[in-house]
Amino acid sequence: AFMESHLPAFKEANPQLEVDTEMIRGQHPHLKAFYKNHNDRVVCVKNMDPEEILLHATRLRNALGRKVIKLRTRHVTKHPSVQGTWTTALKY
């Protein structure tokens, strides 16, 4: 249903993208994005509505293609506490 209703409009709205469709029997449907920095992302769209698939396609289009990196600290703040991080292991 997505390929018939939403994909043609998505192609016309984004002429900078190369959109290929391929029918592979025995595999779940998925969206695959290839970026200029040679990274790729795959999103499984099994049992999703056409609107949800369009949302995932838009997110793949807006992404930069960088790998996800983990932050070094548990929390990020502009004003770190002078007293330190609160824990339940503190005793009076």
Side-chain angles (χ1 to χ4, degrees):
F2 171 76
M3 292 178 65
E4 293 174 357
S5 60
H6 291 82
L7 188 62
F10 185 76
K11 277 182 163 181
E12 289 180 18
N14 301 296
Q16 74 276 13
L17 299 179
E18 179 181 340
V19 179
D20 293 333
T21 56
E22 181 178 8
M23 178 73 161
I24 303 175
R25 292 186 174 264
Q27 286 189 1
H28 295 300
H30 61 271
L31 299 175
K32 192 181 287 187
F34 297 101
Y35 298 97
K36 288 186 178 182
N37 58 2
H38 305 291
N39 288 337
D40 60 339
R41 288 189 182 177
V42 179
V43 177
C44 181
V45 292
K46 177 184 170 187
N47 297 331
M48 288 190 184
D49 296 330
E51 290 78 21
E52 292 179 86
I53 297 173
L54 181 64
L55 177 68
H56 283 290
T58 306
R59 285 182 180 167
L60 287 174
R61 180 201 63 194
N62 293 340
L64 296 175
R66 295 185 301 202
K67 296 287 183 184
V68 177
I69 57 171
K70 188 175 180 181
L71 295 175
R72 296 181 192 261
T73 60
R74 293 187 309 169
H75 61 279
V76 178
T77 178
K78 291 182 181 178
H79 307 289
S81 174
V82 178
Q83 300 171 353
T85 305
W86 182 85
T87 63
T88 57
L90 294 176
K91 294 183 179 179
Y92 297 105

